[in-house]
Amino acid sequence: MSPNSNDQFVKVSEEVREAIEGHNANSPPVVALETAIYTHGFPFPANVELASHLESIVRLNGGIPATIGVLNGIARIGFENDELIELASSAGKPETKKVSTRDLAHVCGLGLSGKRLNGGTTVAGTMVLAHSAGIRIFATGGLGGVHRGAENSMDISADLIELERTPVTVVSSGCKSFLDIPRTLEFLETQGVAVATFADGREGNVDFPAFWTRDSGVPSPMVVQDEAEGAAMMSIFDAEKLGISGHANTPFILNRIRDLTDGDSIPANKALIEANVIRGTRLAIEYQKIEKSVQSHGGITELGSISRNAMFSTPGALGVSEAKASLSSRKTVLAPFVSSSRFEASADVISAGSIAVDLACDYTPLCRSPESQAPELATSNPAVITQSLGGVAQNIATAVHYSGTPVRLCAAVAGDAAGLAALEMLNQRGMQVAGVHQISDGARTGQYVTVNDARKNLVLGMADMKIQEVASRDFDKIWKPQLNLVRPKWLAVDSNWTSEALRKWMSEGKSLGSKIAFEPVSVAKCKRLFQPMSTTLGDFATVPDNLVSLATPNAIELASMHSAAAEAGLFEGEDWWRIIDAMGMSSSGSRDRLVSMTSTVLVDEGVPQQSIQLLPFIPTILTKLGSQGVLMTQLLEKNDVGKAGNLAVMTSATELAAANGRNEMISPFVVLTAEDEAFDPATITQWKEEGFQVSYLPFRELGEKYAVVAYGEAAGVVLELAQKPMHKLCALVAYYPDKLPNPAAGFPPSLNVCVHLAEKQTMGAKYKTYVYNGVAPGFAESDLDDFDQISADLAWTRTLGLVRKALEIEVDLEATWEDHVALEFASKNADATMMTMVEEPYVNHIPTLTGGMGYRDLHRFYRDYFIPGNPPSLEMRLVSRTVGVNRVVDEMHVSFRHTQEIPWMLPGIEPTNREVEVALVAIVCIRGGKLYCEHIYWDQATVLVQVGLLDPKLAPGNKGKQQLPVVGKEGARKVLDARSTQSNELIPGW
């Protein structure tokens, strides 16, 4: 079959066909990749991430990937992104086949009868299809072989047969150690297949690898030092294929290995596949060099007259630092040449937008006079020109990556030198590159050129970001699948996208529960945020239905955003006025109040006023002010502590840095107070000019009480001071003070006092004191080494109770809990349920360990398992409720007929159609009006008895005892009616 002979059974992608048919010097070599590892090795969506990652590795190393498999009854040689996702999503389904040589006719032929199957091709199946398209090199994980006892069972992998008859070179990590490696090599020798192993820096004899380990104890028939030697060998044998095989014919053994290694065999598999794909691509390039050289010199026109095929093996997954880690050591060492790019599907942040090559031209005048700071126009100027990787989305992704947070960059590059260089730089940083999409069609990788004056201030900037407009056209095909795959906590989007694509990114991200951050990019492009205001994409709503959670403009971009919002009529709606009115200021703000919190210059420029007017749509705005720092304007909850008229101001970092530079220490701190909400800005400025850090706190009005919570040495000092009456102080909580005041002195009767002590703080006191065993001072501060979660939580509950009592604060915890339950069981709305919980909640159904920690896991649990997993007959009756300071404890009677699988109570158990009654206790912790954690308890043994999975009459080893100490429905019914059944009937002799 020629590469362009697409028919009803086989389809070659356009990219692969063009690369195979290319005859110019720049045509990259094609490397085949199998798909059985995706359909029968890794689950969805991890298999999509791995597939995308391996293709990126081929591209990074200069090749063209040709992933091979069967989709809808057609053999595909090269997949588009959406096709690959479709195949990977069918993994694990019975109709998804594992396709070897013998299966190709069956799986593809059934398409003629309308039965279109999917299939992942094995090493043998991939070789056949690769050869049919003219692909000479194939990279995979491990190779099939001769099974132990094959002299009786004749169990020999079809991979070995295909190596003999199909002229494709395979580079692999050998075959797995539980196979008969000596007989495998003997079989290949008989078939005339050349087998060589890369030395990887080793000298002397080299073992044939055994997949997870580089040393099998069986010498390799041949050794090559590097890819160049391998290519020279291939030029004689005409065999170009990198073999990485994933063996699924012995699932029991592989699953057992996975169990014995606590799952460490899985990352080992991924690591060696990466290494082999890299080595295979480099080998293809070296071979291509030799092939071109032979052709250019008019030499041998058909390579391969000596032997039909060859196989190269790499050292195996456990060979980076000469360490010989075994399965029993349960440690995985990455293979050589493993790309540092992460291939996990998970990421907390997606940064979507531009990546570009930045060119900075810094003017360097020949003379350093004040008049020569700026370059002259219409002529050449001396400069220092530097090149770096830039682009707004790339900058954000890199910053997030360096902070240690998993991040995926979603951006577009072209197949030009700049694009390949950008991918390589990202890869070297250890960043995910699976989200970077390569565009052909004559596109150019984004570029940005700046011309700066002698002080490196921007004079002129020129941007070529046309590629971003091309990338914006295929949101549903290219970008939406990535969003659905990753489901990030935060989605950062820059405005290099078109207006429509920008809104699609945000709307789709919000529907998945992601918080949206917006980077405006430029004065012109930032207006795209408010366009188009069409019904198709939804209007720009105010909080709590806001689309964007955070924006980061500079001052002129803020003004442009404000102007665009005004033009769109956003400042005329009733919802906007309602929020502005709730702030307690006019729409333009209170000048004196704003000046006291920012500066006269900023207020004159309208910066805080514009921020405030945008807050109903974007509740947090960070305005970048250059050398003046950053102004943070944020819409806060009504009762948030530390609020300042709903405007929070971040202290200028440059001011503190300047003070540190002058004094080598932090400036002295002064607190000003008066009865007014705002204070004289001139006085505050005077203090600042003298080098002081200044904070203004309004003095509490008469009749307003307050509480103090102190830690460590500060707690000791405050306890001593509070023995004398302090105006309006109503509560004092001291954590592990270094000293206690004289117990005989006492405290004012109106003061509520509570002291939390560590175990060894043996201090006598007449007031309320709690001692926490097994902990040291510092146990309540999470940033200290002595932090203890359990003791800290217990102390927090006691502290919160005392402070609320002293301040006469009442909180309705029951209403919060009831709302949550109603959304779970009545509305059955997972998104709304999650809105009643904190950002990182925790739920644990103790007997089955179901639930989850964090928004992403819990949202998936509620949406896919808990809410749809409750049978229609489920009924819950509240028996008792105890409401504490921050907890609600419910005792419930739960009954249902087991007509469907119940993943949270009976995971994996098919319906038994039996009636079940069980007593259940829920302990719910509420923080700030939202659920923080849930612990759910019930007696699992009584449930298993009622569904017939546990026979109470089976009591092995019990002398004369006829029944296990477990009951059925009786226990739950006695919760409802204490007289429903007798007690102690399981006690012998009662």
Side-chain angles (χ1 to χ4, degrees), residues 915-931:
E915 296 281 356
V916 176
E917 296 180 41
V918 61
L920 184 146
V921 174
I923 302 176
V924 183
C925 180
I926 296 174
R927 179 176 295 177
K930 293 193 174 185
L931 269 69

Side-chain angles (χ1 to χ4, degrees), residues 581-860:
D581 289 342
M583 294 183 190
M585 60 174 65
S586 66
S587 60
S588 60
S590 169
R591 177 178 174 81
D592 292 342
R593 186 174 174 185
L594 295 179
V595 167
S596 69
M597 290 183 287
T598 58
S599 70
T600 302
V601 174
L602 287 178
V603 173
D604 289 343
E605 293 176 351
V607 173
Q609 298 96 314
Q610 293 167 353
S611 298
I612 289 172
Q613 292 189 1
L614 287 170
L615 282 183
F617 307 104
I618 308 173
T620 300
I621 300 175
L622 300 177
T623 306
K624 296 167 286 189
L625 303 173
S627 61
Q628 299 178 63
V630 176
L631 176 70
M632 181 173 76
T633 316
Q634 190 171 25
L635 192 64
L636 301 177
E637 295 291 339
K638 182 178 180 180
N639 296 321
D640 276 355
V641 177
K643 68 177 182 178
N646 293 345
L647 181 69
V649 183
M650 183 179 292
T651 304
S652 168
T654 53
E655 289 182 8
L656 294 179
N660 289 339
R662 291 192 303 270
N663 304 322
E664 299 298 327
M665 60 179 291
I666 297 177
S667 304
F669 191 69
V670 173
V671 177
L672 305 179
T673 186
E675 65 276 7
D676 297 326
E677 186 69 23
F679 191 64
D680 175 27
T683 302
I684 295 176
T685 301
Q686 282 181 311
W687 281 101
K688 288 183 177 181
E689 289 174 348
E690 293 295 334
F692 291 92
Q693 294 184 63
V694 183
S695 176
Y696 176 74
L697 295 176
F699 188 75
R700 296 290 174 179
E701 297 179 4
L702 294 178
E704 189 171 355
K705 299 184 291 185
Y706 68 99
V708 171
V709 180
Y711 299 78
E713 294 181 12
V717 172
V718 175
L719 280 171
E720 187 171 354
L721 292 174
Q723 287 188 317
K724 296 181 180 180
M726 298 176 67
H727 184 61
K728 299 301 178 183
L729 178 64
C730 64
L732 171 59
V733 181
Y735 280 83
Y736 30 84
D738 60 339
K739 59 183 178 180
L740 288 178
N742 184 355
F747 292 92
S750 60
L751 182 62
N752 294 269
V753 179
C754 171
V755 178
H756 302 292
L757 299 176
E759 182 178 28
K760 296 182 179 180
Q761 290 184 293
T762 54
M763 303 177 182
K766 292 184 178 180
Y767 32 84
K768 188 175 293 184
T769 304
Y770 300 99
V771 179
Y772 300 85
N773 296 325
V775 297
F779 67 81
E781 297 170 73
S782 60
D783 58 340
L784 300 181
D785 293 339
D786 293 314
F787 175 68
D788 182 82
Q789 185 71 62
I790 294 177
S791 299
D793 286 348
L794 185 57
W796 165 253
T797 300
R798 290 164 170 167
T799 297
L800 185 61
L802 181 127
V803 171
R804 281 183 178 165
K805 176 183 176 182
L807 292 173
E808 299 177 350
I809 297 174
E810 295 184 1
V811 178
D812 189 356
L813 302 182
E814 283 192 90
T816 301
W817 174 228
E818 292 284 0
D819 289 344
H820 178 82
V821 172
L823 291 169
E824 282 181 307
F825 293 97
S827 302
K828 301 182 184 294
N829 188 324
D831 292 334
T833 298
M834 294 304 301
M835 293 296 291
T836 66
M837 310 184 82
V838 297
E839 186 171 346
E840 290 294 318
Y842 164 57
V843 173
N844 187 13
H845 297 88
I846 307 296
T848 55
L849 292 180
T850 55
M853 179 175 290
Y855 182 94
R856 183 180 302 157
D857 282 353
L858 266 182
H859 184 268
R860 179 187 174 199

Side-chain angles (χ1 to χ4, degrees), residues 459-492:
V459 175
L460 180 67
M462 303 290 285
D464 178 3
M465 297 294 176
K466 290 292 185 182
I467 191 173
Q468 204 66 22
E469 297 181 7
V470 177
S472 295
R473 300 170 190 164
D474 294 321
F475 175 82
D476 292 335
K477 180 179 178 181
I478 299 173
W479 309 114
K480 184 177 179 180
Q482 297 211 41
L483 258 179
N484 284 279
L485 175 69
V486 177
R487 296 177 177 268
K489 296 178 182 176
W490 275 93
L491 169 62

Side-chain angles (χ1 to χ4, degrees), residues 34-37 39-40 68-70 75 96-109 117-130 138 143-145 155-163 165-166 241 245-249:
E34 64 155 300
T35 49
I37 190 173
T39 59
H40 292 77
I68 296 176
V70 179
T96 301
K97 306 300 181 182
K98 188 173 184 183
V99 182
S100 186
T101 309
R102 67 172 188 180
D103 308 303
L104 282 169
H106 171 72
V107 174
C108 294
L117 301 177
N118 293 343
T121 51
T122 64
V123 170
T126 304
M127 288 179 70
V128 170
L129 291 171
F138 166 36
L143 190 70
D155 191 352
I156 300 175
S157 171
D159 297 350
L160 305 187
I161 305 297
E162 212 58 54
L163 277 168
R165 64 189 183 192
T166 303
K241 181 177 180 181
S245 71
H247 198 331
N249 292 331

Side-chain angles (χ1 to χ4, degrees), residues 49 53 56-57 60 274 338-344 423 426-434:
E49 180 69 19
H53 179 64
S56 296
I57 287 176
L60 281 172
E274 273 193 324
V338 170
S339 165
S340 59
S341 176
R342 299 182 61 182
F343 44 78
E344 300 143 356
L423 288 171
L426 292 172
N427 193 56
Q428 289 175 0
R429 295 173 186 172
M431 296 175 63
Q432 293 189 26
V433 295

